[in-house]
Amino acid sequence: MQTTIEKTVREIALENPSSIRVFESLGIDYCCGGKRPLSDACSHANVDFDRVLKLLEEANRDSQAPEAKEWREKPLCDLIAHVVQKHHGYVRQETPRIGVLLAKVVAKHGPMHPEVARIDQLFTAIGPELSTHMLKEEQVLFPYVERMEQAVQNGDPVPAAFFGTVKRPIANMVAEHDDAGAILSQIRELSNGYTAPLGACPTFLALYRGLEEFERDLHHHVHLENNILFPRAIEMEQEH
Ligand SMILES: [Fe+2]
Ligand SMILES: [Fe+2]
């Protein structure tokens, strides 16, 4: 049997969703960069490997496992509806709200904290990219996956798609997830792990809290797509 040491972060997150809280708290990427073994991921995030193993054990013991496990079995159309409603909805709601906070903080504290202007540039770039990305999922990839699942349920052949195999749009989506993840990780670094300066005003604090939550939500979102939805869609296409 494969031990935790040999498994990739992605495998651990899939098998034991309670591990996601541990990875989040330590800044270990389990979605975009989740394909590396746990030991590598620990060195990358600069955290002690034994400490992580201990935390994972503890989390496993008193697991309040969130959503992920059930999504490995539920119909794909339900998972898609969940992703769109919860995560796409969240991105659409939060992007303008964080934009407003950023503009205020840059105007007020930009001269003393130049890192905020850089964060503003990065976040302003990510908004339209995520918006286009979600539209491609909602208008092209997800409807195709739903049609494919419906056909399989009806015993019909998998429908033809203009993109050939579903692996193509999926590879595109995964590459875009990596790009978004990299930008958010840059923001995390620039903000010193979302630590507002001592005595920061409530807007500054709200901004960093908002950005931290935004990154966390994107990780959950990408985890559901990269690690569950996409592999299941590829498997379904291959088997039918
Ligand atoms: Fe998505
Ligand atoms: Fe996506």
Side-chain angles (χ1 to χ4, degrees):
M1 202 180 88
Q2 217 184 4
T3 66
T4 304
I5 299 171
E6 294 162 332
K7 283 178 187 164
T8 63
V9 180
R10 173 185 181 275
E11 286 168 335
I12 298 170
L14 276 172
E15 279 172 24
N16 180 8
S18 67
S19 66
I20 290 174
R21 279 182 297 139
V22 175
F23 294 145
E24 286 290 353
S25 69
L26 299 170
I28 294 177
D29 184 358
Y30 62 93
C31 48
C32 305
K35 282 186 179 158
R36 61 176 86 198
L38 181 60
S39 52
D40 270 20
C42 289
S43 329
H44 190 74
N46 206 13
V47 289
D48 181 64
F49 182 61
D50 291 332
R51 181 171 159 239
V52 176
L53 283 183
K54 195 163 165 268
L55 289 171
L56 286 175
E57 257 176 48
E58 283 168 12
N60 193 16
R61 225 175 297 136
D62 42 68
S63 164
Q64 299 161 4
E67 54 196 9
K69 220 164 203 164
E70 61 190 281
W71 292 123
R72 296 168 73 184
E73 278 135 36
K74 280 195 175 178
L76 292 179
C77 63
D78 290 352
L79 174 53
I80 287 171
H82 171 77
V83 164
V84 172
Q85 196 190 10
K86 183 168 179 197
H87 297 292
H88 290 198
Y90 174 85
V91 171
R92 288 187 173 115
Q93 184 188 304
E94 278 299 282
T95 309
R97 191 186 76 86
I98 293 176
V100 170
L101 290 172
L102 264 167
K104 282 187 188 164
V105 175
V106 169
K108 210 169 163 198
H109 305 286
M112 283 288 284
H113 296 284
E115 70 277 12
V116 189
R118 182 73 192 117
I119 292 173
D120 187 31
Q121 283 173 346
L122 291 167
F123 194 80
T124 305
I126 213 179
E129 278 172 25
L130 280 177
S131 173
T132 311
H133 173 87
M134 294 187 303
L135 279 181
K136 285 191 265 185
E137 288 180 338
E138 289 169 21
Q139 295 181 355
V140 180
L141 179 58
F142 291 174
Y144 177 73
V145 173
E146 285 169 341
R147 281 203 304 281
M148 179 167 69
E149 183 175 58
Q150 190 64 56
V152 169
Q153 278 165 3
N154 295 343
D156 295 334
V158 166
F162 73 87
F163 41 72
T165 162
V166 76
K167 284 184 194 162
R168 260 195 209 136
I170 284 178
N172 264 326
M173 295 301 105
V174 170
E176 291 180 4
H177 292 164
D178 289 351
D179 293 344
I183 291 177
L184 287 174
S185 127
Q186 260 180 284
I187 293 179
R188 171 186 280 273
E189 261 176 49
L190 283 164
S191 63
N192 191 20
Y194 307 110
T195 312
L198 216 60
C201 69
T203 313
F204 212 138
L205 293 171
L207 170 65
Y208 276 10
R209 247 200 318 272
L211 285 168
E212 184 171 22
E213 179 56 43
F214 193 88
E215 188 190 23
R216 191 180 307 136
D217 188 85
L218 195 86
H219 284 171
H220 280 276
H221 178 178
V222 168
H223 172 63
L224 290 177
E225 291 176 356
N226 277 18
N227 297 343
I228 302 177
L229 175 60
F230 296 167
R232 285 187 63 192
I234 290 170
E235 200 183 319
M236 188 176 273
E237 184 186 58
Q238 279 167 347
E239 284 176 359
H240 295 89

